[in-house]
Amino acid sequence: MNIFSDRIKNLQPSIIREMFKFAADPSVISFSAGNPAPESFPKEKIAKISADILSQEPVAALQYSISEGYPKLREWLKADMQKKEIFNPNGDELIITAGAQQVMELTTKTICNETDAIICEAPTFIGSLNSFRSYNAKLVGVPMDDAGINPELLDRALTLNPRCAFIYLIPNFQNPTGKTMSLERRKEVLELAYKHNVMILEDDPYGELRFDGADIPPIKALDKKGHVIYAGTFSKTMAPGLRVGYMVGPADIVNKAVAALQTSTVHTNIWAQMLVWRFVSQTDFGAHIESLRELYKRKCSLMLNSLKFSMPMSITFTEPQGGLFIWGSLPHGELDTFCRAAIERKVAIVPGNAFLVNESERSLDFRLNFSTPSEEQIEKGVEILSSVAKLFY
Amino acid sequence: MNIFSDRIKNLQPSIIREMFKFAADPSVISFSAGNPAPESFPKEKIAKISADILSQEPVAALQYSISEGYPKLREWLKADMQKKEIFNPNGDELIITAGAQQVMELTTKTICNETDAIICEAPTFIGSLNSFRSYNAKLVGVPMDDAGINPELLDRALTLNPRCAFIYLIPNFQNPTGKTMSLERRKEVLELAYKHNVMILEDDPYGELRFDGADIPPIKALDKKGHVIYAGTFSKTMAPGLRVGYMVGPADIVNKAVAALQTSTVHTNIWAQMLVWRFVSQTDFGAHIESLRELYKRKCSLMLNSLKFSMPMSITFTEPQGGLFIWGSLPHGELDTFCRAAIERKVAIVPGNAFLVNESERSLDFRLNFSTPSEEQIEKGVEILSSVAKLFY
């Protein structure tokens, strides 16, 4: 029998998550993951804080808790957002989730009917595309230039899709391209959301990881009409295995989202929430972020310099101001052949079509991650990748 | 604008989860929660194991992990199920989830289209009802007798609802009634599932907490045709704040469920999974379970004896062989008035209609929890409840 629901029957596990298992082969240099640098985890502090929690308030850390999230962490986040002039959330506008990915899932579940459109940057993060696919949304990809999503094409896509649930955007150091949306473009996109009366889902997992240039306010900070849902996470600033993120948005939407969260995870692992709160409020979180920025700046520069030094000139790369990813573009030829040749030489990269609404579309781009590999692996991996590239270009 | 999806627009937070906030008032004796006894948490062992994990393998505990769950915990669970002759799962038939509640959500998402029927015991666990509601399923409640769901009425409900996604059952010490489905009944229900070619979702959160009578095999153990999805959890045998449960079922369904899980939580908090594995495999888990059974037997007996001693004879109670709940029934009158009078005297109980498909249906039943309150609170709370009851009966 075909037992599967319409929404799920075509859903496949993410290529990237599948690559994980493959990249577990220790002889492979993986530029394909999106993992934060393991050397960046504040391991000793986490161990100390965890011990404190489990000796000082074990029952609170082990018993059922409320679905909205650990009150102290919610309060800290609200104060932090206020301080950064992003938003001034009241009690009902911020909840804790099991990572930012759950925000994509809850937002889709809450405001997108099956076959409604979700408009996104092309390319964009495959994990979010799969969240949207899992509710049988109609995905519409809109091409980007160096300043972000193309506003004329976005306007047209919104006109052509009157049943659009929301526009999905990653304005800072986008996954997979590493591009940052300009302030001007953020304003234009927000105006388009107002004009067409649709919501924006702003995904900002890397915002804190800027290592070049000046901060640009999130779209959430520019919004005066309650059209933006904002997804944040501690996966990149602390540790992803904790699965702690947060959702900020209009109270009515967040209230429905928390009712939906309650029917799934009931609440986010409470030890992890308490751990995050103690870490951000009782240690020097600012200094920790600063050390992450330095680390990623160094790794990104090392990869970019190595690429410039050894790759054929005809292959181009974005120069991100933050985040975890560099986006490469081949001048012509077959992306698939290139990626296969690389993996045969034990270097894993992600073909760009994985990030498109229609994966069978042709692409000449590929994603490189600089956070997970060690500096040695970056140098060696780029060397191998260059030798492969020189076979074709 | 009405922005909400059809599936979510009528979803409300669970009355019980809402009561949580209310029961936080320390002057209230709460018989309304479903929390495991806080004194049962293996606090020292958890603190010790957590310290070991965070010093011995911190990166594994903090980095992204695979969506299927921590391999060692999956292997332990498979061996455990095999040992108990429940099931012989292969690699693709068991995944780790954020509590058993996520199994309800993922099963519904995976195999239930909007407006498909889900048939369940009436009354049943409100958290599961809300999972089903959150996908706009058509809920059909089938009355129970002392041996479980009524088979004639179930057969009729299945005939009347040919688009039925699955039958949802809690065979052991059911929430809310405390009733246990007989072996005979389990076989009958399974035959009906075969006859109508529908799946069964077997929710077994309390199976390990039997303190009277002999174990009865889960329906999963009786199934030879792959018609049963089984939901288990460590919430009641270890600690619910960890949010660690598991889903066992046919490989094709579990594979889709893990793809869906990946689009939501990505994976379950990995520290918690490692903690559970070390606890079940490296300490005397059997002795821990035995101590839980003794504790709950004592608390249940205390509540039942107190009720028998002081409540009016016309109010009857189930005598559960395990689990966390006793089900009371008024002979006549107004349930709402009774519950309100109790809460005014600072004792919280849950009105039975909360557990019905249609909450506005009339009920004379109420749920009492004996695991959360202390023994003192049980005695005092029953005394107060009895004085309230004597006003009406």
Side-chain angles (χ1 to χ4, degrees), chain A residues 69 118 151 185 207 232 244 250 309 314 321:
Chain A
I118 295 174
R185 189 64 56 84
V244 180
F309 181 75
S314 60
Q321 298 191 312

Side-chain angles (χ1 to χ4, degrees), chain B residues 153-390:
Chain B
L153 295 177
L154 174 59
D155 193 20
R156 209 169 92 190
L158 285 162
T159 305
L160 287 173
N161 292 281
R163 280 199 303 111
C164 172
F166 56 85
I167 309 165
Y168 172 70
L169 300 165
I170 311 173
N172 289 322
F173 331 122
Q174 199 234 17
N175 182 356
T177 63
K179 290 178 183 173
T180 295
M181 194 185 292
S182 68
L183 178 61
E184 198 47 51
R185 188 64 57 85
R186 291 175 198 220
K187 289 178 183 168
E188 282 180 274
V189 166
L190 184 59
E191 284 305 321
L192 286 172
Y194 292 160
K195 174 181 160 190
H196 292 274
N197 196 25
V198 300
M199 296 295 294
I200 290 174
L201 174 55
E202 179 176 29
D203 188 8
D204 193 20
Y206 318 111
E208 296 281 5
L209 302 181
R210 174 180 282 280
F211 46 71
D212 262 329
D215 275 336
I216 302 174
I219 305 175
K220 183 82 202 161
L222 309 171
D223 174 30
K224 303 297 169 217
K225 299 188 186 176
H227 272 252
V228 181
I229 296 164
Y230 179 91
T233 180
F234 291 97
S235 289
K236 277 75 191 182
T237 52
M238 206 172 149
L242 301 175
R243 312 305 309 124
V244 179
Y246 49 101
M247 172 180 189
V248 187
D252 55 348
I253 294 175
V254 170
N255 282 340
K256 285 291 186 194
V258 83
L261 181 153
Q262 193 171 91
T263 71
S264 170
T265 52
V266 185
H267 63 78
T268 303
N269 177 296
I270 179 70
W271 167 86
Q273 297 187 66
M274 294 167 81
L275 187 74
V276 170
W277 175 72
R278 287 192 185 217
F279 184 73
V280 297
S281 66
Q282 299 178 357
T283 74
D284 191 343
F285 188 49
H288 174 67
I289 297 285
E290 204 41 61
S291 73
L292 293 178
R293 289 180 183 151
E294 281 165 25
L295 174 68
Y296 289 132
K297 185 183 177 71
R298 198 168 66 236
K299 284 187 151 185
C300 181
S301 301
L302 178 64
M303 186 175 269
L304 273 177
N305 290 337
S306 307
L307 289 166
K308 279 183 205 162
F309 181 77
S310 58
M311 287 289 268
M313 290 285 288
S314 60
I315 301 178
T316 59
F317 298 94
T318 57
E319 301 197 8
Q321 297 190 312
L324 312 178
F325 304 107
I326 294 170
W327 190 237
S329 300
L330 303 176
H332 53 75
E334 280 301 323
L335 178 66
D336 204 47
T337 313
F338 178 66
C339 293
R340 271 176 210 281
I343 193 61
E344 272 163 29
R345 306 278 297 267
K346 303 273 187 192
V347 174
I349 62 177
V350 188
N353 54 301
F355 305 98
L356 296 175
V357 164
N358 176 1
E359 283 185 15
S360 62
E361 228 174 279
R362 191 159 179 269
S363 169
L364 286 170
D365 306 318
F366 56 96
R367 192 187 77 174
L368 300 176
N369 165 268
F370 54 79
S371 58
T372 318
S374 68
E375 300 188 22
E376 250 186 300
Q377 287 176 316
I378 289 175
E379 289 184 312
K380 179 142 181 251
V382 170
E383 203 181 295
I384 295 172
L385 203 61
S386 300
S387 68
V388 171
K390 283 170 188 158

Side-chain angles (χ1 to χ4, degrees), chain A residues 137-177:
Chain A
K138 177 189 172 186
L139 299 182
V140 180
V142 172
M144 304 168 73
D145 57 35
D146 284 343
I149 195 166
N150 181 306
E152 288 76 33
L153 295 177
L154 174 59
D155 193 20
R156 210 170 91 191
L158 285 162
T159 306
L160 289 172
N161 292 281
R163 281 199 302 111
C164 172
F166 56 85
I167 309 164
Y168 172 70
L169 299 166
I170 311 173
N172 289 322
F173 332 121
Q174 198 234 17
N175 182 356
T177 63

Side-chain angles (χ1 to χ4, degrees), chain A residues 80 84 173 204-210 237 246 285 289 293:
Chain A
D80 188 62
K84 291 177 183 153
F173 332 121
D204 193 19
Y206 318 111
E208 296 281 6
L209 303 180
R210 176 180 280 281
T237 52
Y246 49 101
F285 189 49
I289 297 284
R293 287 179 183 152

Side-chain angles (χ1 to χ4, degrees), chain A residues 1 3-14 17-18 20-21 34-38 41 43 46-47 50 54 58-59 61-68 98 101-102 105 108-114 127 130-131 134-135 197 199 227 235-236 239-243 252-253 256 259-260 262-272, chain B residues 1 3-14 17-18 20-21 34-38 41 43 46-47 50 54 58-59 61-68 98 101-102 105 108-114 127 130-131 134-135 197 199 227 235-236 239-243 252-253 256 259-260 262-272:
Chain A
M1 52 179 168
I3 193 169
F4 298 117
S5 66
D6 296 335
R7 71 179 81 82
I8 222 81
K9 65 185 172 203
N10 297 316
L11 186 69
Q12 299 297 335
S14 140
R17 302 298 304 172
E18 294 306 296
F20 241 58
K21 299 175 193 168
N35 291 8
F41 298 154
K43 295 186 277 284
I46 286 175
S50 172
L54 293 172
V59 171
L62 297 172
Q63 189 57 283
Y64 279 119
S65 187
I66 57 172
S67 301
E68 289 82 352
Q101 182 78 52
Q102 199 183 24
E105 193 259 338
T108 313
K109 185 167 187 174
T110 302
I111 67 173
C112 182
N113 271 315
E114 295 196 26
N130 278 343
S131 270
S134 80
Y135 287 100
N197 197 25
M199 297 295 294
H227 272 252
S235 289
K236 276 76 191 181
L242 301 174
R243 313 305 308 125
D252 55 348
I253 294 176
K256 285 290 186 194
Q262 193 171 91
T263 71
S264 170
T265 52
V266 186
H267 63 78
T268 303
N269 177 295
I270 180 68
W271 167 86
Chain B
M1 52 177 168
I3 194 168
F4 298 117
S5 66
D6 297 335
R7 71 178 81 82
I8 222 81
K9 64 186 172 203
N10 297 317
L11 186 69
Q12 299 297 335
S14 140
R17 303 295 305 170
E18 293 306 295
F20 241 58
K21 299 173 194 171
N35 290 8
F41 297 154
K43 295 186 277 285
I46 287 175
S50 172
L54 292 172
V59 171
L62 296 171
Q63 188 57 283
Y64 278 117
S65 186
I66 56 172
S67 300
E68 289 82 350
Q101 182 79 51
Q102 198 182 25
E105 194 259 337
T108 313
K109 185 167 187 174
T110 302
I111 66 173
C112 182
N113 272 315
E114 296 195 24
N130 278 342
S131 269
S134 80
Y135 287 101
N197 196 25
M199 296 295 294
H227 272 252
S235 289
K236 277 75 191 182
L242 301 175
R243 312 305 309 124
D252 55 348
I253 294 175
K256 285 291 186 194
Q262 193 171 91
T263 71
S264 170
T265 52
V266 185
H267 63 78
T268 303
N269 177 296
I270 179 70
W271 167 86

Side-chain angles (χ1 to χ4, degrees), chain A residues 44-59 61 271 274-275 278-279 282-283, chain B residues 47 50-51 54:
Chain A
E44 287 77 20
K45 284 183 182 154
I46 286 175
K48 168 75 171 68
I49 293 171
S50 172
D52 288 349
I53 291 169
L54 293 172
S55 70
Q56 293 162 12
E57 36 183 353
V59 171
W271 167 86
M274 294 167 81
L275 186 74
R278 288 193 184 216
F279 183 74
Q282 298 178 358
T283 73
Chain B
S50 172
L54 292 172

